[in-house]
Amino acid sequence: MPEPHREDAIGAGHGSGPVVFFLSDSTGITAETLGNTLLTQFPGHAFERHTIPFITTEEEAARVVGAVDRAAAGGSRPIVFSTAVNPAIRSILSRCNGHFMDLLGAHVAQLEHALGTPASGEPGKAHGLGDAVRYQLRMMAVEYAIEHDDGQSIRALERAELILIAPSRCGKTPTTMYLALQHGILAANFPLVDEDFTSRSLPEPLRPFAGKCFGLTSQPLRLSQIRQERRPESTYASLAQCTWELRNAEEMYISNRIPYVNSASMSVEEISATILQKMEA
Amino acid sequence: MPEPHREDAIGAGHGSGPVVFFLSDSTGITAETLGNTLLTQFPGHAFERHTIPFITTEEEAARVVGAVDRAAAGGSRPIVFSTAVNPAIRSILSRCNGHFMDLLGAHVAQLEHALGTPASGEPGKAHGLGDAVRYQLRMMAVEYAIEHDDGQSIRALERAELILIAPSRCGKTPTTMYLALQHGILAANFPLVDEDFTSRSLPEPLRPFAGKCFGLTSQPLRLSQIRQERRPESTYASLAQCTWELRNAEEMYISNRIPYVNSASMSVEEISATILQKMEA
């Protein structure tokens, strides 16, 4: 669960490190994304994070400044990441007693210069319905991904832009969901089973679509650990079984010229970025 | 599908506006997120976007600079958003013939001052496996969301942190997936059906968990349009049916003190941010 940002709780000692605020007149996603990326550059600190989105009125902005100042009074000056676009709201927030970082301002000026046009100055639509067509694609893709999760349906596989294949528990499902939700990619995923490992050939329903297949592998020990959590002491989770499945899966990918990636030490975001990169190449 | 970034295709006239590069020594997610947020401030332009992630060697960086320069030669100077952290790679990229915007540099310096510690200077782990516990939570949440999508299972509902309820096609599923994948929230979703609308009471399996329920509504016309796409000319999609369902759903939310939001003009990101805000309040 995300940290609470109930104002009276903020900075009330339940965080062990510097208090960080992500402030936005929209969803706060951009503030969190860049802010957290910046914070990863300072691994030594345990930050207490609070996101306050939809700061759309000057009254609300003043209330947020109060919350930041109370947190400042409780300890060291909070770090404040802001993506507020509205000038009036931004100027109110900037007066808080924290290290205020306007994540947009400087870059907007650079862009105005580069593009030779003034910025709209309206709150970010980046995570709204801005591009209705693209948004509908993303929503359709989520439905498609659920319908085609783990080989549940081979209907309309020809519509798939990507078919993820892998032994059980290599990360097919969350990767498929991420690609659908974030990139609107029509992605199916299909489990590899013993007969596939023995024959080292693509599952029959996928053969017409080999060109759209992408494989995942893992590390035997890692995969075995993950499977142990699901079925302790099972053959399914044994190191021997995992080793056998991964070796044959990889040989199958190679012999069928299916691009693949080892997901063992990668996040879904990293796996997805890698897949997109290979799809686009 | 995302734009291809095959170097020889870039800026080759298949884009109608300024060419934009998102460059990263990691996934490129942060560069895309902030970059796209900045671009929404300039709605008048049709940008041709290219993401090039995992620029981890100086050779790769030089190759990317070549691609940017070729695009520049083909028209106006590209806009280049970079989140490269490695100083050597950043300095190579910064020499490209585009409007180079280092999205991290200035803020890192600010943070070093604020925290009194130097930045690690290592490529962003923000979208990696950095926080293993939190990452596992997110992956578990995706499984939970799929298992509990659309009321498919009422098993382990007590584990849910959130139960989204709504008439069909109000956005339950993509919102649940987003909250699971991005925030690691154990979220189930449950459809409301005619008997619920008639009785205006919570579906029986949810009654012990009313405190975890969150409702979605929509606008009758919008909902009817969405349903028409799925089942044209059906009673299900009729404006009368949608109006009836939405009115009774809303009255049920109110009489059961269930917080709710109208999803008609909101994206999953906006709906999710709103839900998180109310959950945290």
Side-chain angles (χ1 to χ4, degrees):
Chain A
M1 284 292 294
E3 300 261 345
H5 69 257
R6 206 179 308 100
E7 275 64 11
D8 54 14
I10 290 178
H14 70 282
S16 47
V19 178
V20 177
F21 288 88
F22 304 103
L23 308 183
S24 171
D25 47 17
S26 181
T27 61
I29 291 170
T30 302
E32 286 177 337
T33 303
L34 180 58
N36 281 316
T37 295
L38 288 163
L39 294 180
T40 59
Q41 291 298 304
F42 301 87
H45 301 269
F47 299 100
E48 177 189 326
R49 298 167 164 88
H50 304 279
T51 301
I52 307 184
F54 305 120
I55 307 169
T56 53
T57 67
E58 302 191 13
E59 294 65 33
E60 171 71 3
R63 213 168 57 75
V64 170
V65 167
V68 174
D69 293 352
R70 275 194 299 282
S76 57
R77 287 174 66 201
I79 290 160
V80 181
F81 295 110
S82 167
T83 55
V85 172
N86 178 290
I89 288 174
R90 189 169 53 195
S91 98
I92 292 172
L93 294 177
S94 69
R95 290 185 220 120
C96 72
N97 182 23
H99 299 280
F100 185 81
M101 304 195 196
D102 175 4
L103 300 181
L104 299 184
H107 305 303
V108 167
Q110 272 179 291
L111 274 174
E112 287 180 323
H113 169 74
L115 294 168
T117 47
S120 73
E122 293 184 16
K125 299 183 194 67
H127 301 105
L129 291 170
D131 181 341
V133 175
R134 183 168 182 283
Y135 184 76
Q136 273 317 106
L137 270 179
R138 290 171 57 210
M139 298 306 107
M140 274 174 41
V142 171
E143 279 174 35
Y144 188 90
I146 290 173
E147 187 185 339
H148 294 83
D149 181 47
D150 207 32
Q152 278 179 64
S153 165
I154 57 172
R155 204 174 54 75
L157 271 185
E158 68 282 354
R159 286 180 59 215
E161 296 173 286
L162 169 74
I163 302 173
L164 262 185
I165 57 177
S168 167
R169 313 299 292 165
C170 284
K172 289 186 303 292
T173 293
T175 303
T176 306
M177 288 300 155
Y178 186 88
L179 287 166
L181 193 50
Q182 296 294 340
H183 296 280
I185 290 179
L186 288 181
N189 71 76
F190 212 86
L192 297 176
V193 296
D194 283 4
E195 65 175 284
D196 306 315
F197 301 127
T198 312
S199 68
R200 289 187 196 162
S201 54
L202 262 183
E204 195 282 333
L206 304 186
R207 286 176 202 163
F209 312 112
K212 301 195 284 194
C213 290
F214 197 102
L216 296 180
T217 62
S218 186
Q219 287 158 359
L221 199 56
R222 171 102 182 100
L223 184 60
S224 175
Q225 286 162 345
I226 294 173
R227 289 184 174 186
Q228 286 288 352
E229 290 165 22
R230 178 180 271 195
R231 293 197 222 143
E233 308 312 322
S234 62
T235 306
Y236 163 82
S238 70
L239 183 56
Q241 175 72 16
C242 294
T243 306
W244 179 74
E245 290 188 21
L246 290 169
R247 182 190 303 118
N248 288 294
E250 191 160 339
E251 291 186 8
M252 190 265 271
Y253 300 151
I254 292 169
S255 62
N256 289 274
R257 293 201 184 69
I258 290 169
Y260 65 97
V261 60
N262 188 321
S263 65
S265 57
M266 295 170 89
S267 67
V268 285
E269 286 85 354
E270 291 167 321
I271 298 168
S272 300
T274 304
I275 291 173
L276 288 174
Q277 195 178 27
K278 297 203 183 197
M279 283 175 76
E280 294 159 0
Chain B
M1 284 292 295
E3 301 258 345
H5 69 255
R6 207 181 305 103
E7 275 67 7
D8 55 13
I10 290 178
H14 70 284
S16 48
V19 179
V20 177
F21 288 90
F22 304 103
L23 308 182
S24 172
D25 45 17
S26 183
T27 61
I29 291 170
T30 303
E32 286 178 336
T33 303
L34 179 58
N36 281 317
T37 296
L38 288 164
L39 295 180
T40 58
Q41 291 298 304
F42 300 88
H45 301 269
F47 299 100
E48 177 189 326
R49 298 168 165 87
H50 304 281
T51 301
I52 307 183
F54 304 122
I55 307 169
T56 53
T57 67
E58 302 191 13
E59 296 63 33
E60 172 70 3
R63 213 168 57 73
V64 170
V65 168
V68 174
D69 292 352
R70 275 194 298 285
S76 58
R77 286 175 68 201
I79 289 160
V80 180
F81 296 109
S82 166
T83 54
V85 172
N86 177 290
I89 288 174
R90 190 170 49 194
S91 98
I92 292 172
L93 294 177
S94 69
R95 291 186 219 118
C96 71
N97 182 24
H99 299 280
F100 185 81
M101 304 194 195
D102 175 3
L103 299 181
L104 299 184
H107 306 303
V108 168
Q110 273 177 289
L111 274 174
E112 286 180 324
H113 169 72
L115 295 168
T117 46
S120 72
E122 292 182 17
K125 300 187 193 68
H127 302 105
L129 292 171
D131 180 340
V133 174
R134 183 166 182 283
Y135 184 77
Q136 273 317 106
L137 270 181
R138 289 172 55 210
M139 299 305 108
M140 273 174 41
V142 171
E143 280 175 33
Y144 187 89
I146 290 173
E147 187 185 337
H148 295 83
D149 181 47
D150 206 32
Q152 278 178 65
S153 165
I154 58 173
R155 203 173 56 75
L157 271 186
E158 68 282 356
R159 285 181 59 215
E161 296 172 285
L162 169 74
I163 302 174
L164 261 185
I165 57 178
S168 167
R169 312 299 290 164
C170 285
K172 288 187 303 290
T173 293
T175 303
T176 306
M177 288 301 155
Y178 186 88
L179 287 166
L181 194 49
Q182 297 294 342
H183 297 279
I185 291 180
L186 288 181
N189 72 76
F190 211 88
L192 297 176
V193 297
D194 283 3
E195 65 176 281
D196 306 314
F197 301 127
T198 312
S199 67
R200 289 185 195 164
S201 54
L202 262 183
E204 195 282 334
L206 305 187
R207 287 177 202 163
F209 312 112
K212 301 195 283 191
C213 290
F214 197 102
L216 296 181
T217 63
S218 186
Q219 287 157 359
L221 198 56
R222 170 103 181 99
L223 185 59
S224 175
Q225 285 162 348
I226 294 173
R227 289 183 174 187
Q228 286 288 352
E229 290 165 21
R230 178 179 270 195
R231 293 197 221 144
E233 307 313 322
S234 61
T235 305
Y236 163 80
S238 69
L239 183 56
Q241 176 72 17
C242 294
T243 306
W244 179 74
E245 290 188 19
L246 291 170
R247 181 188 305 120
N248 288 294
E250 191 160 338
E251 290 186 11
M252 189 265 271
Y253 299 151
I254 293 170
S255 62
N256 289 274
R257 292 202 185 69
I258 290 169
Y260 64 97
V261 59
N262 187 321
S263 66
S265 57
M266 294 171 90
S267 67
V268 284
E269 288 83 355
E270 291 168 320
I271 298 168
S272 300
T274 305
I275 291 172
L276 288 174
Q277 194 178 26
K278 297 202 184 198
M279 283 173 77
E280 294 157 0

